[in-house]
Amino acid sequence: GDSSVVLQAQEEIIEMKDVFSVKLKRRRFAGQKKGGTLLGITIFKSMNKEENKLTDCAIHLNNLSEDHCQLWFRHLKEILNGFQNRPKSLKVFVNPSSHRREATHVYFEQVAPLFKLADIKTDVTVTEYEGHALSVLKECELQAFDGVVCVGGDGSVSEVAHGLLLRAQIDAGKDIDYVSKPVRAPIPLGVIPAGTTNILAHTLYGIKHVVTAALHIVMGHIQAVDVCTFSTPSKLLRFGFSAMFGFGARTLALAEKHRWMPSSQRKDFAFIRTLADLKPEECELSFLPLQIPQEDSHENDRITLFYLGSKDQWQRIQGHFLNVSIMAIPCLCSMAPRGLAPNTRLNNGSMALIVVQNTSRTEFVKHLKRYTSVKNQFNFPFVETYTVQEVKVQPKLKGELDAKENAYLNAASAEGNYPWNIDGDLMEEASEVHVRVHPQLIDLYGVNTDDLESSQATCNCI
């Protein structure tokens, strides 16, 4: 221009895959909503701020020609519309009770403006009770949306994932009481972390960061993820990603009884109280191991795993266990930087079975402390780990009882003697629970599949 100041020329390359919005830039007076003096166009892009964290930034391109700006604007919009996985319409669930009741603020202050900037239409439901999202998903017109987004903690995300997969079975005419080969979820699920631990968000993004999560959704980064079915012999209990039986479940059950406490306080209280009253569960574990790979597939540098699933290969262990974890994903969180199950992956078709046998409180605490460090938390003689594709957990009633006592205890168990922690949600079940893993059953907005291996390696080293 006419500036007398000599500026050093700087060149910057912007890749369109990093751009999520383009707008005409105008100068408007206070209160003016339309029109205004054209100044040029503004490009909004996603950029890596630091390891795993994304942020949005604006680049202003100045030009006073209406024709010139409109030409660039149309061409850039055409390119953006060509990215297939990017959502244009989303169904959003916000759990206002998550963590410190901050989910509503998180969504409307940080996430909604980004969705609006990216021209994404949203239909928002602020949930009013447990199971609200599930009931909405059973009835709503899912074909009207490109994806579903949950703003909340792990329990909220698990409920929405369960509802999405349950709806897929219903639409496919499948029996929802017994689901042996479930149908894939029809649309992806986005996770905006607004809970206490946010395990699924940490595992997907390597960090708890709202803007990072929102930008992965806006950019349409899709990641296929394994899902488990949790069933009794007679019915499907839940779709989910991870579960704990024993200490982890008893801690959650005690925390749920003290909902009047602030979130962090009740969890600390429940943890200390359960640890003080540490006791094992007597049960029988049956599991079908994942077989050693029989051949390698060099396509995409990945190993193809072959399952040999005859009934003869089931293994059984019986005893007194302090905790049993069954996890299809690594379960990263700020308190466990390596993950609760660092030897599994998001989509390799396997589960980690982690069994902690009965031991002293001191030794058990040493095991728990290892989760907060980078040391191997399984390097104890009382901890056993298995890579499996199916698990059955059968609690054993205490002592030798007659039929009447058995019936009484079975009824008591149904009311809470055998709690399960499934993705941070409390479920109570007296009978045998059968857990199966189903490879890549749902798509989540998360790490780009092109960078899957390196992203997983990064996540497990945080």
Side-chain angles (χ1 to χ4, degrees):
D2 298 329
S3 173
S4 59
V5 180
V6 178
L7 298 176
Q8 183 178 357
Q10 291 183 336
E11 181 182 273
E12 180 180 352
I13 295 173
I14 302 170
E15 294 192 59
M16 287 303 294
K17 70 179 182 64
D18 297 325
V19 175
F20 65 89
S21 181
V22 57
K23 301 290 183 185
L24 290 169
K25 181 183 178 185
R26 296 181 185 276
R27 180 188 291 121
R28 291 181 176 138
F29 299 108
Q32 185 180 0
K33 294 183 178 181
K34 292 184 179 181
T37 305
L38 181 68
L39 300 177
I41 62 174
T42 301
I43 292 173
F44 297 89
K45 60 170 282 195
S46 168
M47 61 181 289
N48 292 309
K49 188 175 182 182
E50 55 191 61
E51 192 173 20
N52 296 315
K53 184 180 287 189
L54 300 180
T55 187
D56 59 302
C57 72
I59 298 168
H60 304 291
L61 305 177
N62 298 326
N63 192 294
L64 302 181
S65 166
E66 185 85 32
D67 291 341
H68 199 67
C69 288
Q70 287 288 353
L71 181 66
W72 273 86
F73 177 76
R74 286 196 303 271
H75 277 291
L76 291 174
K77 287 287 286 184
E78 187 178 338
I79 293 171
L80 293 183
N81 290 334
F83 291 108
Q84 306 253 338
N85 287 335
R86 297 192 179 182
K88 295 179 174 57
S89 178
L90 292 169
K91 176 63 188 174
V92 180
F93 292 97
V94 179
N95 180 2
S97 301
S98 287
H99 195 31
R100 297 170 183 167
R101 303 184 182 276
E102 62 185 13
T104 307
H105 170 79
V106 162
Y107 176 73
F108 287 105
E109 296 295 325
Q110 298 184 63
V111 181
L114 282 173
F115 286 173
K116 183 179 180 182
L117 193 58
D119 297 321
I120 298 173
K121 296 178 181 178
T122 56
D123 180 32
V124 181
T125 297
V126 178
T127 57
E128 299 173 3
Y129 53 88
E130 186 177 348
H132 188 181
L134 179 61
S135 62
V136 171
L137 281 169
K138 284 182 178 179
E139 302 295 332
C140 75
E141 299 291 334
L142 279 182
Q143 62 269 23
F145 304 104
D146 299 314
V148 174
V149 173
C150 178
V151 186
D154 290 317
S156 305
V157 175
S158 181
E159 180 185 327
V160 173
H162 172 68
L164 202 53
L165 285 162
L166 202 62
R167 173 64 184 272
Q169 314 316 306
I170 295 170
D171 289 348
K174 298 276 187 177
D175 183 358
I176 59 173
D177 288 328
Y178 180 76
V179 181
S180 58
K181 292 183 179 179
V183 178
R184 273 188 116 247
I187 53 178
L189 169 62
V191 180
I192 302 292
T196 306
T197 51
N198 302 288
I199 281 175
L200 197 55
H202 266 280
T203 306
L204 282 170
Y205 316 125
I207 193 171
K208 179 197 172 182
H209 188 240
V210 170
V211 172
T212 296
L215 285 173
H216 277 298
I217 296 170
V218 167
M219 304 297 286
H221 296 162
I222 300 292
Q223 169 67 66
V225 178
D226 300 338
V227 179
C228 302
T229 49
F230 299 89
S231 310
T232 67
S234 60
K235 65 176 180 177
L236 171 72
L237 295 174
R238 190 76 178 249
F239 289 98
F241 303 96
S242 64
M244 285 187 280
F245 177 79
F247 178 80
R250 285 184 175 277
T251 301
L252 178 63
L254 187 58
E256 288 297 311
K257 290 180 180 178
H258 293 79
R259 273 274 171 187
W260 52 272
M261 286 184 175
S263 175
S264 58
Q265 288 184 24
R266 72 168 177 266
K267 291 191 175 182
D268 290 345
F269 165 79
F271 177 84
I272 294 169
R273 187 73 181 272
T274 308
L275 194 59
D277 190 29
L278 187 65
K279 55 186 175 184
E281 296 284 4
E282 184 181 2
C283 63
E284 179 180 280
L285 302 176
S286 307
F287 58 91
L288 188 60
L290 186 71
Q291 302 304 310
I292 297 172
Q294 291 187 327
E295 71 178 65
D296 292 342
S297 170
H298 297 291
E299 183 182 356
N300 295 328
D301 296 324
R302 296 187 186 176
I303 296 175
T304 302
L305 301 173
F306 290 83
Y307 303 116
L308 304 175
S310 72
K311 292 183 179 179
D312 297 337
Q313 293 166 331
W314 280 88
Q315 297 184 20
R316 289 174 177 78
I317 53 176
Q318 188 171 334
H320 293 79
F321 307 116
L322 289 177
N323 194 65
V324 177
S325 299
I326 306 165
M327 298 177 171
I329 61 175
C331 294
L332 295 168
C333 64
S334 58
M335 294 174 289
R338 293 184 70 244
L340 302 178
N343 297 329
T344 190
R345 291 292 181 268
L346 285 169
N347 65 353
N348 66 350
S350 71
M351 298 183 292
L353 171 62
I354 303 162
V355 181
V356 182
Q357 297 179 1
N358 194 19
T359 188
S360 68
R361 185 181 292 105
T362 302
E363 289 298 301
F364 185 61
V365 169
K366 287 181 182 177
H367 162 64
L368 294 179
K369 282 184 175 180
R370 284 278 184 92
Y371 280 99
T372 63
S373 70
V374 294
K375 295 181 180 179
N376 184 355
Q377 61 262 44
F378 309 130
N379 191 21
F380 293 94
F382 53 87
V383 180
E384 299 175 8
T385 62
Y386 306 90
T387 302
V388 301
Q389 59 192 62
E390 290 188 50
V391 181
K392 294 178 182 177
V393 180
Q394 174 65 63
K396 295 293 182 183
L397 296 176
K398 309 289 190 290
E400 295 295 326
L401 304 169
D402 60 29
K404 287 185 179 179
E405 288 174 315
N406 255 317
Y408 172 78
L409 278 181
N410 269 316
S413 295
E415 294 177 4
N417 274 10
Y418 298 111
W420 279 80
N421 180 341
I422 299 180
D423 295 329
D425 265 357
L426 179 65
M427 296 197 71
E428 296 169 345
E429 194 58 48
S431 60
E432 175 187 285
V433 174
H434 187 178
V435 187
R436 295 185 183 92
V437 65
H438 305 277
Q440 304 184 26
L441 195 60
I442 192 170
D443 287 330
L444 299 182
Y445 289 109
V447 288
N448 196 326
T449 50
D450 293 337
D451 304 321
L452 174 62
E453 298 299 333
S454 60
S455 296
Q456 283 300 313
T458 301
C459 285
N460 281 321
C461 292
I462 295 173

